[in-house]
Amino acid sequence: MESLTPEQFKRYSRQIMLMEFGLEKQTQLHNSHAVIFGLGGLGSPASVYLTAAGVGHLTLVDFDTVDESNLQRQIVHREDRVGEKKVDSARRTLEALNRWTQIDTFDRVPDETELAALVENADVVLDCTDNFDARFAINAACARAKVPLVSAAAIRWEGQLSVFDFRDPDCACYQCLYKDASMEGMTCAESGIMSPVVGMLGSMQALEAIKALTGLPTLKNRLMLVDGLTLACRTLNLPKDPACPVCAGR
Ligand SMILES: [Zn+2]
């Protein structure tokens, strides 16, 4: 494991001084690889916080380009990048933020083989996509590779968050939660989204990813629901489905 330079130690000192974190976990972050699927409303804050916090290697996956209607909430992008690929736009922001984070990009919809390869090389995966097909495919790929998956979603004023930790054979997965793969998904384009709500959820994804990478307790086997209108927050137990086609019998 590559140790931190004195410059890096200084940079991350406010995290290193945390009793539960310390130099060992900061060094783990520096040597970690996170893969982020989706550089939209959730992936924007998640990628910014993971980069700022000192994750050493990020891979950004998105097929889309920046649209003016994205800028209301997708804070990793900028006005002068409308029309640019989201992964390229995000890379510019992140590289300007932390020269010690290696940023790789993948700018199309991965096929099954490419998805498996992207996930196998990750220490943690963040699902910041906005459609059910991608979510089920990412979940199944993480299950096969036994890589922890931090999953969030937000619509209108509401958000939800969970961690599917496939390193633990008793952990529930995304498929346990949403049994029906044909379920119709709602999108922010159709239903609307309050900007800071995705900011909250994406930031919490970064937090859970940092904890999953460093062995701290996460939301695994629990589902957190937050309502941005009232700031009421509920955490439900999320049991593993013994008949789940993805994670049962592992
Ligand atoms: Zn499952």
Side-chain angles (χ1 to χ4, degrees), residues 27-45:
T27 306
Q28 269 180 289
L29 273 196
H30 180 65
N31 287 276
S32 293
H33 179 200
V35 176
I36 301 178
F37 288 93
L39 272 300
L42 296 166
S44 286

Side-chain angles (χ1 to χ4, degrees), residues 173 176 244 247:
C173 82
C176 297
C244 176
C247 72

Side-chain angles (χ1 to χ4, degrees), residues 91-229:
R91 193 214 314 245
R92 284 165 67 184
T93 302
L94 302 174
E95 283 179 345
L97 180 60
N98 191 343
R99 64 192 180 281
W100 293 307
T101 299
Q102 181 192 329
I103 309 286
D104 292 333
T105 58
F106 190 94
D107 67 359
R108 54 188 191 278
V109 178
D111 66 25
E112 208 179 323
T113 312
E114 290 167 332
L115 179 60
L118 283 164
V119 164
E120 270 163 25
N121 286 317
D123 298 307
V124 69
V125 169
L126 287 82
D127 184 350
C128 303
T129 64
D130 60 358
N131 76 84
F132 274 94
D133 288 344
R135 287 174 180 275
F136 284 110
I138 292 165
N139 180 68
C142 289
R144 276 192 290 273
K146 295 189 171 58
V147 171
L149 170 62
V150 182
S151 180
I155 196 96
R156 297 187 286 260
W157 297 84
E158 290 155 35
Q160 63 177 54
L161 175 71
S162 191
V163 176
F164 309 119
D165 195 337
F166 295 105
R167 298 170 298 186
D168 174 358
D170 296 323
C171 188
C173 82
Y174 186 76
Q175 187 95 37
C176 297
L177 178 61
Y178 292 102
K179 292 172 180 62
D180 185 1
S182 65
M183 186 171 149
E184 206 66 42
M186 293 182 295
T187 66
C188 293
E190 295 151 5
S191 306
I193 177 72
M194 175 47 69
S195 175
V197 172
V198 276
M200 286 170 21
L201 272 295
S203 302
M204 285 191 267
Q205 273 185 291
L207 177 62
E208 290 304 291
I210 288 170
K211 293 191 291 175
L213 287 170
T214 56
L216 288 166
T218 67
L219 266 177
K220 77 176 181 181
N221 284 328
R222 290 181 298 150
L223 176 70
M224 201 206 71
L225 303 164
V226 60
D227 177 354
L229 268 179

Side-chain angles (χ1 to χ4, degrees), residues 4 7 11 22 75 86 109 185 198 215 224 231 237-238 241:
L4 299 186
E7 242 182 323
R11 169 82 159 249
I75 58 167
K86 284 188 179 178
V109 178
V198 276
M224 201 206 71
L231 280 184
N237 286 325
L238 180 61
D241 174 6

